[in-house]
Amino acid sequence: MTKLPWHINGKLHVCGSSAFIADEPPQKGMLHAKFLFSPVAHARIKRLDLSKAKSFPGVHAVISYNDIPGENMIGHVLPDEPLFPDKTIMYCGQVLAMVLSEDESIAEAAVKLIDFEYEELEPILTIDEADRKQEWYIPERKIELGQVEQALKKSAHRLQGTCISGGQEHFYMESQRARAIPVDHDLIHIYSATQSTMEVQEIAARVLGIPVHRVIVEVFRLGGAFGGKERAATIWAVLAGLGAYLTQRAVQVKLSRDEDMHYTGKRHPFQSDWQIGFDDEGRISAWDILLRSNGGAYVDLSIAILERAMFHADNIYYIPNVRIRGRACRTNLPPNTAFRGFGGPQAIFVIESAIEKIAAHLGKDPLEIRKLNAYHNGDVAPYGQKIKEASAAGILDQAASDSNYEKLKASVASFNQNHRYRKQGLGIVPVKFGISFTTAFLNQGSAMIWVYIDGSVSVSCGGVEMGQELNTKVAIVVSKVLGVDPQRIRVESANTQRIGNASPTAASTGSDINGNAARIAAEKIRSKLRQAALMLIKERYNIIPDELIFDHNKIFPVGFPNHSISFADSVKRAYHERMPLGAYGYYATPDLFFDSELGEGRPFHYFVYGAAISRVEIDMLSGEHRVLSTHIVHENGKSLHPEIDKGQIIGAFIQGMGWCTMEELIVDVKGQYQSGNPSTYKIPGIRDLPAQLELRMLQSRSSEASVFGSKAVGEPPFIYGLSVFFALQNAIQSVKPEAELSFPATNEAIISALS
Ligand code: MTE
Ligand code: HPA
Ligand code: MOS
């Protein structure tokens, strides 16, 4: 058997022994929470009478807005979201009251006894409607470069269009949940399925009306998050915390799959109008885009998501005259939230759709148009950041050569000539994705390390493990600095008592930020161990080396290969010499700033580049399709763990493909989501994989990369999924050039585009 690369959680997951919050045995007297969810999207509350539910045998407590000891406010970016609404219901599924009982079925039955009257109001559900009423969380945002209107007028060709992309259910395997336990000294310990321990801690303390230090938030691991627990996990953790605080019992909150899918926020749908100006060659001179998103009932992360969308409205293209405008619209849907890519995929979809139109208009190959307009070193992005390591054009060339693009084109053309009811198509998408939180202050993180007396190591950081195997990457970083096997390193839970003020594990920055903080802490310990090792080496071998190398659980004096000492011996010596064997590391990503008024700055530490080319085949009679091949080229610096990165790249591609080809969220006229499980919401399965799936990871050397030369990997490859959408469109247009494929490209969408 081949030896698998080391990976902390893999074996536990495969054996089913990794622990998740609600799978742990209940504490004595633990109460289960069940909720009264609003059945309507917009209403005035007329009466909420909890008395019948309270007196139901077995019910321990029924909690609503009157019971909140602190503030009824869980808004974070803006103070707009109550924990329980007291007057106005803003979305279908909003929590109105919480019933606690030791018995789940009793709590469920008691929810039905809550006396609740309301007066329905007209809900706003669409972007158009919200925009018409100027229901924006903040005024329109703008980023401008050059003179777009003049350039549009002067350009030889001009095209325009509207691009719509849909929402997406996160479909993490572990639904939203939390368990809160009251402990002595007036503490509430919340085990939360959150990507952001700091946010949960801060907001729970606010709602309970107690200092932040009286709330502990702890996360061992998440069963997937994909952005859906960056902000949207807070409410469930706060509800558990509130229940535990008021009853002084352990309280568990756990949504069913059905509740989670119906009532929690999703990826932002976008609707964007654009105009593009270009010359006979296809060189773009002007790009004017208005991005509008459906943010749902409360702001959540909608402003940052809109901002990231605006930063990706150029994708890989240098355009001298650009105007990017953005509006985030308030509607009566559950608050839409972070989802892998965070607005980037939505914006890239727009400009790539425009590129496809240019190619069709000029009768040119879309690959040529893409290469012609790609950024070069020294170009400046619309928001003023200089592009330093532009590699998009080279990556497109690599993808073309890996996929044998010219041959592929010829074979698709001949297939289409010879088949009447089946058609093939090719789709390309290049990617440039900015790495850093666009909210600059979030780009900071801490780590704490203990080296124990036997030489084993414990690392804590603020980062949350959610399947991306951040823990393994952090252990690898510490292992490199201390020269010990990663197996000797434990990466602990994220816990606010050990690491306070941690930013969410998001924006793909988990390993950059936490890895660097851990590196800095480990370097501090190494410098102490160095002193201890020099003492030992002098005593044992009577030599005084200039340099020491920490490797293979040993410390080697440079120039004396046979005179090593063990790492553990140097640890013991350092302890006996009374040297500190614990250290704190702090990292803040350097040189980031952005002025949102001016639309200018340097929001990103660096960019990740890549490209994908897909070939599909459609059945024109049924609308079914297969992906025949996908070739991905992904540039990711010096990977800390190529196998983990491969999993991230392929997984993200599949998730992106699901978004644009099959995952369809239906909202009814009342603002209620119609999907609650996989039978009404189709996510990709193993049979949807491309028949041939090739990945080339370019292990580039980058001066801009992060810890040990690695680059972030979590989100950018999501966008490769769009290559399948464009391939489907291309197949359809081979028979009907003017056809417009709607999003997502379901069988029905393919059939209606053809008819
Ligand atoms: N991979 C798995 N298995 N599960 C997840 O929830 N989330 C993605 C990505 N990869 C996710 C994942 C998202 S949205 C982000 S931002 C990053 O992981 C976060 O982790 P990182 O910054 O450590 O890469
Ligand atoms: N990505 C993810 N989460 C965020 C960001 C971002 O760019 N900015 C603020 N929260
Ligand atoms: Mo990822 S959407 O930044 O959690």
Side-chain angles (χ1 to χ4, degrees), residues 195 226-227 230 338-342 505-508 715:
Q195 292 170 251
F226 307 110
E230 177 175 349
F339 197 140
R340 207 171 198 169
F342 208 77
T505 308
S508 304
E715 296 169 283

Side-chain angles (χ1 to χ4, degrees), residues 107-383:
E108 245 160 47
V111 166
K112 301 202 177 84
L113 299 177
I114 296 174
D115 222 338
F116 169 51
E117 274 179 46
Y118 55 89
E119 179 194 337
E120 267 195 82
L121 304 168
E122 198 57 40
I124 297 177
L125 301 175
T126 65
I127 293 172
D128 270 337
E129 204 183 341
D131 195 42
R132 209 176 318 119
K133 297 185 170 147
Q134 302 207 352
E135 283 285 346
W136 310 323
Y137 313 103
I138 50 160
E140 180 182 283
R141 281 271 162 91
K142 201 188 313 188
I143 294 172
E144 264 183 310
L145 177 74
Q147 300 286 339
V148 85
E149 293 197 9
Q150 279 155 271
L152 276 170
K153 274 192 204 121
K154 277 199 281 183
S155 57
H157 305 271
R158 206 184 324 166
L159 290 171
Q160 63 181 49
T162 298
C163 244
I164 294 176
S165 61
Q168 186 176 25
E169 160 61 33
H170 296 85
F171 226 110
Y172 27 63
M173 288 208 271
E174 176 200 43
S175 59
Q176 300 281 355
R177 60 193 59 190
R179 184 182 289 188
I181 300 169
V183 278
D184 69 359
H185 286 300
D186 300 332
L187 275 175
I188 297 291
H189 192 142
I190 305 177
Y191 294 92
S192 164
T194 178
Q195 292 170 251
S196 181
T197 56
M198 180 189 186
E199 182 181 305
V200 169
Q201 188 193 27
E202 183 185 352
I203 294 180
R206 186 203 291 161
V207 170
L208 301 187
I210 58 178
V212 170
H213 72 195
R214 278 178 55 194
V215 178
I216 306 168
V217 178
E218 181 157 18
V219 186
F220 281 89
R221 60 166 68 76
L222 308 182
F226 307 110
K229 298 170 183 171
E230 177 175 349
R231 155 78 194 155
T234 301
I235 181 169
W236 312 109
V238 172
L239 286 164
L242 177 66
Y245 184 79
L246 293 176
T247 63
Q248 287 299 305
R249 295 244 208 143
V251 168
Q252 179 164 290
V253 167
K254 180 184 171 193
L255 296 196
S256 66
R257 172 69 51 197
D258 195 85
E259 290 166 341
D260 197 308
M261 286 184 68
H262 277 103
Y263 304 145
T264 67
K266 315 200 182 297
R267 179 185 293 282
H268 287 63
F270 269 67
Q271 179 172 335
S272 309
D273 301 318
W274 56 267
Q275 283 192 74
I276 202 160
F278 51 97
D279 66 14
D280 294 339
E281 298 304 305
R283 192 176 290 278
I284 304 166
S285 55
W287 174 232
D288 188 13
I289 173 172
L290 170 60
L291 290 151
R292 297 183 301 162
S293 69
N294 186 334
Y298 299 109
V299 67
D300 195 283
L301 290 164
S302 295
I303 296 171
I305 288 163
L306 180 72
E307 223 164 44
R308 180 170 285 275
M310 292 171 72
F311 289 138
H312 288 78
D314 56 342
N315 197 18
I316 65 157
Y317 307 111
Y318 173 68
I319 306 170
N321 302 285
V322 179
R323 179 170 63 186
I324 302 163
R325 289 175 294 159
R327 299 177 193 157
C329 302
R330 187 189 294 111
T331 60
N332 295 106
L333 290 176
N336 282 326
T337 196
F339 197 140
R340 207 171 198 169
F342 208 77
Q346 291 95 318
I348 289 176
F349 177 59
V350 184
I351 191 154
E352 292 303 328
S353 297
I355 296 275
E356 292 285 315
K357 289 238 160 100
I358 294 176
H361 182 81
L362 296 176
K364 285 185 184 280
D365 185 328
L367 177 66
E368 290 311 311
I369 308 290
R370 290 185 164 103
K371 278 170 30 185
L372 180 68
N373 289 287
Y375 275 114
H376 293 290
N377 285 342
D379 288 342
V380 175
Y383 41 88

